[in-house]
Amino acid sequence: MNIIETNLNFGNLTKRSRTVRAILHHSAGSKASAEDIHRWHLANGWAGAGYHFLVRKDGSVYRLRPEWAVGAHASGSNSDSIGICFEGNFMTESMPTAQKQAGKELVAWVKKKYGFTKVQAHRDVQATGCPGTNFPFAEIANGSTGTVTPTPPTSGNTYTVQKGDTLTAIAKKYNTTVDALAKASGITDPNKIHVGQTIVIKGAAEKPKPTKPNGNTGTNPIIRDGQIHARNFAMPGLGADGIRGPRTKEAGIRVLQQAMNRDYGAGLALDGIWGRKSEKALGRHTVRRGEKQYMVTALQILLMLKGYYCNGVDGHFGAGCEKAVRQYQADHGLTVDGIAGYNTFKSLIQ
Ligand SMILES: [Zn+2]
């Protein structure tokens, strides 16, 4: 499964505190793109598209409203649910196989991600015919199918397929292999990619890119900036080549050691080796939104060293930082709570 990221601009959104169910809808109109829905819902005076996801007839899945936000799709039931819209009018139409398959995968993925089992039709919670009498509800709500892959990262590590692209050409461009890209992106048939699809580059690179005399393609500018921050914060002499190699990994550990020394007086040697003393110093410490300390500085640098951008390195845990943490957690199978604790820090220094 692949989720296509969109660039829709939303008004004020509210963070959803609980996610215990998914609610399924149809668009009622036979044709509805992500932009169409966004425009229609803005015209309602809403902050933008009210659903979190759109499943189109061709089986492509688009992100609409950010997943963390309260939706606007089922009055009275928005505060604890994910809203999924299926393109089409299933009062009269029947659902194409590709769309049904994609819907099953998306629903299975959302259930697994948030750990709930409850899936409802819009008509279950409001007086409406939505999503239509022909909507294959039981199949989509209960069917677990295929391989479910996490949402690809959105920041600097992905490539959006353009017209005329092949996976072979993209692999060549990023100095990796078709197999590695397919694996990282959850693609089952490398000959079937489509315009607008997100290809995950990060984690796909199998061979380190040799530095060429002119041009540094294949290096990640976020990692490079992170290396410069890590050098200044905890590891003088660290090179900034934009490639996450053994020295960069060592730098990440040093950055965390430095922060624990400053915030907690841990007295650790900046040796870049994660030993018992470092483990004990980290303990159950967490950092979260609103905090300002060196552990936040470390978090921001560690995210960059993994290719995640969080609006700079300032030691202040703001919205950009929380967004990056959530994205990182989602991409790495961690609990998505936007709080950096033991598991998140340990994953970041791996
Ligand atoms: Zn509906």
Side-chain angles (χ1 to χ4, degrees), residues 24-26 51 73 122 128 130:
L24 311 184
H25 304 260
H26 69 165
Y51 313 109
H73 55 92
H122 188 188
T128 169
C130 178

Side-chain angles (χ1 to χ4, degrees), residues 62-291:
Y62 289 80
R63 187 185 297 286
L64 297 176
R65 181 169 294 216
E67 225 175 296
W68 53 263
V70 174
H73 55 92
S75 182
S77 303
N78 290 313
S79 65
D80 62 6
S81 65
I82 292 277
I84 302 174
C85 178
F86 290 74
E87 178 188 30
N89 180 348
F90 302 107
M91 284 297 189
T92 54
E93 300 173 53
S94 61
M95 188 176 288
T97 307
Q99 187 178 21
K100 198 177 347 181
Q101 181 66 17
K104 279 184 188 176
E105 290 188 19
L106 176 63
V107 169
W109 176 73
V110 169
K111 283 161 99 173
K112 182 161 178 246
K113 177 169 180 177
Y114 292 94
F116 62 72
T117 53
K118 189 172 181 177
V119 180
Q120 294 174 300
H122 188 188
R123 60 177 169 248
D124 295 336
V125 299
Q126 261 192 299
T128 169
C130 178
T133 43
N134 296 339
F135 189 91
F137 180 81
E139 215 176 328
I140 289 174
N142 304 320
S144 162
T145 71
T147 41
V148 177
T149 55
T151 316
T154 53
S155 52
N157 302 309
T158 59
Y159 176 82
T160 304
V161 176
Q162 310 293 313
K163 196 158 186 254
D165 275 341
T166 62
L167 207 54
T168 310
I170 298 167
K172 198 168 170 214
K173 183 171 175 166
Y174 289 97
N175 195 44
T176 182
T177 62
V178 168
D179 281 355
L181 285 181
K183 188 162 176 259
S185 310
I187 294 167
T188 45
D189 183 349
N191 295 318
K192 282 187 185 160
I193 58 171
H194 59 82
V195 173
Q197 185 169 353
T198 303
I199 305 295
V200 179
I201 307 299
K202 180 187 73 69
E206 288 190 326
K207 28 186 179 174
K209 187 80 176 171
T211 312
K212 287 178 193 157
N214 48 4
N216 56 353
T217 46
T219 71
N220 182 318
I222 299 173
I223 294 177
R224 191 188 57 229
D225 288 352
Q227 288 167 328
I228 294 167
H229 283 291
R231 178 203 292 161
N232 294 336
F233 189 69
M235 189 165 170
L238 175 67
D241 58 5
I243 297 166
R244 188 180 167 85
R247 291 263 295 163
T248 303
K249 197 180 151 189
E250 181 190 335
I253 296 174
R254 284 195 192 214
V255 162
L256 192 52
Q257 288 171 329
Q258 178 78 291
M260 294 192 296
N261 285 349
R262 292 191 181 175
D263 284 343
Y264 314 140
L268 302 167
L270 296 189
D271 56 7
I273 299 165
W274 191 261
R276 270 185 48 232
K277 274 188 82 177
S278 298
E279 182 80 8
K280 193 161 170 243
L282 179 57
R284 299 199 173 279
H285 286 293
T286 60
V287 283
R288 65 185 73 202
R289 183 92 178 256
E291 292 184 336

